[in-house]
């Protein structure tokens, strides 16, 4: 079977359940609140001062770094949060940042400043957006170049092409649109226990649609296993929608076996079983460790008035202290050096920050 181990290149498999603090369930986390971190009044004052200093200095958004966006009291707390993201449960919700009384520019500067203390900014699409906008643009999902976050459609559980994914809620929808996350370590351990043959199939490389964002010299799809065991760590990369669309759109891509199809179907079902749902408030910042968390979103009904419509800002971040990734990730990430990896760059990509969805 394509993707199975060979004598010269054995597939690395975990010796058993992975466990660790990263293996949590939604039911467990719903009973806890330690993953919700409230900014203190002093920390919020520091953020305000750093935004004002950034603007007074006439700096561009690309010049925001931990050194230029000084947060002397908050920075140690952000360092502890980064450690929890990379080595603990893998997610956090920061609450209390005021967006209602700020311009979108000031909110973006504050968000980028906090994000800079967690990692370097990475391009989120072929247009080179370093500050992303999650908003319904009224696009047709049947267009192979449209990404689901540009619509009001439900997102299936998936990972993005970076180490840390951040979202800042500016405005909520009229109804729906809740954020859903699930531990991919928990999914791995459940599959190993319940269906070992299907568990094993997820270590086979699977063709995944690039949705038209094709780096020079690459195919319109990449092939990476969903589960990757490397240097004693489990890293998961998954987009079931795009694995399926690669089968539909690219006859040249390897055909999935019935066992592999059943494996991704089971992974989706388990994600529903173990997920945690959180409803964002304006000003909430969610950060997740992409290698051990899958995320999704419920579909939503938006407000008719453009100025009230659901709007999130997004960051893709690469921390210098990130885990080592297996070589297969280079197909999607390009350079896999910690601190300088992830993101989407194609032939004509120009990196920039935009305050408008596009």
């Amino acid at each position: 079977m394509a993707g199975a181990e060979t004598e010269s290149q054995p597939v690395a498999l975990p010796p058993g359940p992975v466990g660790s603090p990263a293996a949590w369930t939604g039911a467990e986390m719903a009973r806890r609140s330690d993953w919700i971190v409230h900014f203190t009044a002093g920390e919020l004052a520091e953020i305000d001062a750093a935004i004002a200093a950034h603007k007074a200095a006439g700096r561009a958004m690309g010049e925001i770094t931990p050194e230029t966006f000084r947060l002397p009291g908050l920075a140690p707390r952000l360092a502890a949060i980064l450690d929890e993201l990379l080595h603990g449960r893998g997610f956090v919700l920061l609450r209390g940042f005021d967006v209602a009384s700020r311009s979108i520019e000031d909110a973006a500067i504050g968000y980028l400043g906090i994000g800079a203390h967690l990692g370097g900014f990475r391009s989120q699409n072929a247009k080179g957006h370093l500050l992303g906008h999650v908003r319904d643009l009224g696009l047709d999902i049947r267009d192979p170049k449209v990404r689901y976050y540009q619509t009001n459609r439900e997102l299936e559980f998936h990972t993005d092409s970076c180490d840390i994914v951040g979202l800042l809620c500016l405005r909520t929808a009229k109804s729906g649109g809740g954020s859903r996350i699930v531990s991919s370590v928990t999914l791995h351990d459940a599959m190993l226990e319940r269906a070992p043959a299907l568990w094993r199939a997820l270590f086979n490389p699977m063709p995944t649609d690039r949705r038209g964002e094709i780096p020079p010299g690459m195919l319109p799809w990449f092939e990476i296993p969903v589960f990757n065991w490397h240097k004693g760590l489990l890293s998961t990369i998954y987009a079931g929608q795009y694995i399926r669309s690669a089968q539909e759109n690219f006859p040249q891509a390897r055909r999935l076996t019935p066992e592999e199809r059943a494996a991704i179907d089971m992974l989706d079902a388990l994600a529903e079983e173990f997920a945690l749902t959180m409803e964002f408030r304006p000003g909430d910042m969610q950060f997740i460790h992409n290698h051990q968390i899958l995320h999704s979103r419920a579909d939503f009904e938006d407000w008719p008035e453009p100025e009230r419509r659901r709007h999130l800002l997004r960051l893709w971040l690469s921390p210098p202290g990130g885990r080592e990734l297996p070589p297969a990730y280079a197909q999607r990430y390009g350079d896999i050096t910690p601190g300088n990896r992830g993101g989407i760059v194609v032939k004509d990509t120009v990196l920039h920050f935009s305050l408008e969805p596009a």
Side-chain angles (χ1 to χ4, degrees):
M1 178 174 66
E5 66 260 46
T6 66
E7 185 175 341
S8 59
Q9 292 183 318
V11 173
L13 298 173
V18 174
S20 82
W24 48 264
T25 69
E28 171 196 355
M29 287 297 168
R31 295 190 295 266
R32 294 166 48 178
S33 60
D34 55 325
W35 49 271
I36 302 175
V37 175
H38 295 265
F39 289 114
T40 67
E43 290 166 347
L44 292 171
E46 282 191 357
I47 297 170
D48 287 341
I51 293 171
H54 170 87
K55 297 177 72 174
R59 295 191 181 100
M61 288 183 177
E63 297 177 89
I64 294 176
T65 69
E67 292 72 35
T68 65
F69 202 87
R70 295 187 64 253
L71 300 169
L74 179 55
R77 198 177 191 199
L78 291 175
I81 287 169
L82 177 60
D83 185 71
E84 182 67 43
L85 290 172
L86 298 181
H87 307 295
R89 66 177 170 267
F91 73 97
V92 67
L93 186 73
L94 304 181
R95 177 159 284 168
F97 182 66
D98 175 26
V99 295
S101 65
R102 299 182 194 275
S103 66
I104 187 173
E105 179 182 13
D106 283 6
I109 291 169
Y111 180 45
L112 288 164
I114 290 168
H117 284 264
L118 302 177
F121 309 129
R122 311 303 294 176
S123 171
Q124 299 174 35
N125 52 33
K127 296 177 181 180
H129 289 171
L130 297 169
L131 178 67
H133 296 261
V134 180
R135 193 169 181 181
D136 179 15
L137 301 181
L139 302 178
D140 188 347
I141 197 59
R142 292 173 295 183
D143 183 334
K145 294 186 178 181
V146 168
R147 307 264 290 278
Y148 277 74
Y149 72 83
Q150 298 170 316
T151 74
N152 68 345
R153 290 275 300 275
E154 176 185 9
L155 301 182
E156 295 182 8
F157 283 97
H158 65 284
T159 59
D160 288 342
S161 298
C162 61
D163 294 312
I164 292 174
V165 182
L167 291 172
L168 166 63
C169 178
L170 297 178
R171 293 188 297 273
T172 59
K174 182 177 181 181
S175 64
S179 172
R180 308 176 70 213
I181 62 173
V182 66
S183 163
S184 54
V185 180
T186 296
L187 300 183
H188 167 276
D189 290 356
M191 288 201 71
L192 174 60
E193 177 185 3
R194 300 183 191 183
L198 301 187
W199 162 84
R200 174 60 188 84
L202 292 177
F203 287 88
N204 298 336
M206 294 193 181
T208 304
D209 190 349
R210 294 184 188 271
R211 301 299 285 180
E213 297 175 327
I214 308 169
M218 296 291 188
L219 293 169
W221 67 90
F222 58 92
E223 292 196 31
I224 301 177
V226 173
F227 290 149
N228 298 268
W229 183 248
H230 185 68
K231 301 292 181 71
L233 294 171
L234 179 76
S235 295
T236 299
I237 181 168
Y238 180 64
Q241 288 166 313
Y242 299 155
I243 291 175
R244 295 181 179 96
S245 66
Q247 297 292 295
E248 297 166 1
N249 297 331
F250 308 120
Q252 315 95 307
R254 181 181 72 81
R255 300 296 90 185
L256 297 182
T257 68
E259 193 169 63
E260 289 167 338
R261 289 181 179 274
I264 62 174
D265 288 345
M266 183 175 181
L267 190 69
D268 289 340
L270 288 173
E272 296 290 337
E273 178 180 341
F274 291 115
L276 169 69
T277 299
M278 61 181 78
E279 299 294 337
F280 288 155
R281 303 175 186 175
D284 282 355
M285 298 182 190
Q286 179 197 72
F287 292 97
I288 64 172
H289 188 207
N290 194 60
H291 305 310
Q292 65 191 60
I293 302 280
L294 307 185
H295 62 281
S296 74
R297 180 199 71 205
D299 58 11
F300 62 89
E301 177 187 2
D302 224 337
W303 299 98
E305 304 90 348
E307 69 276 7
R308 297 182 68 188
R309 289 178 183 166
R310 183 181 190 269
H311 191 177
L312 309 179
L313 299 182
R314 185 174 66 182
L315 293 178
W316 283 6
L317 302 171
S318 180
R323 65 175 57 183
E324 185 175 330
L325 293 173
Y329 272 66
Q331 291 182 70
R332 183 57 171 167
Y333 279 51
D335 189 343
I336 57 174
T337 304
N340 187 39
R341 66 187 182 198
I344 296 171
V345 177
V346 301
K347 180 181 178 182
D348 298 318
T349 296
V350 176
L351 301 179
H352 66 286
F353 297 85
S354 175
L355 294 177
E356 294 293 333

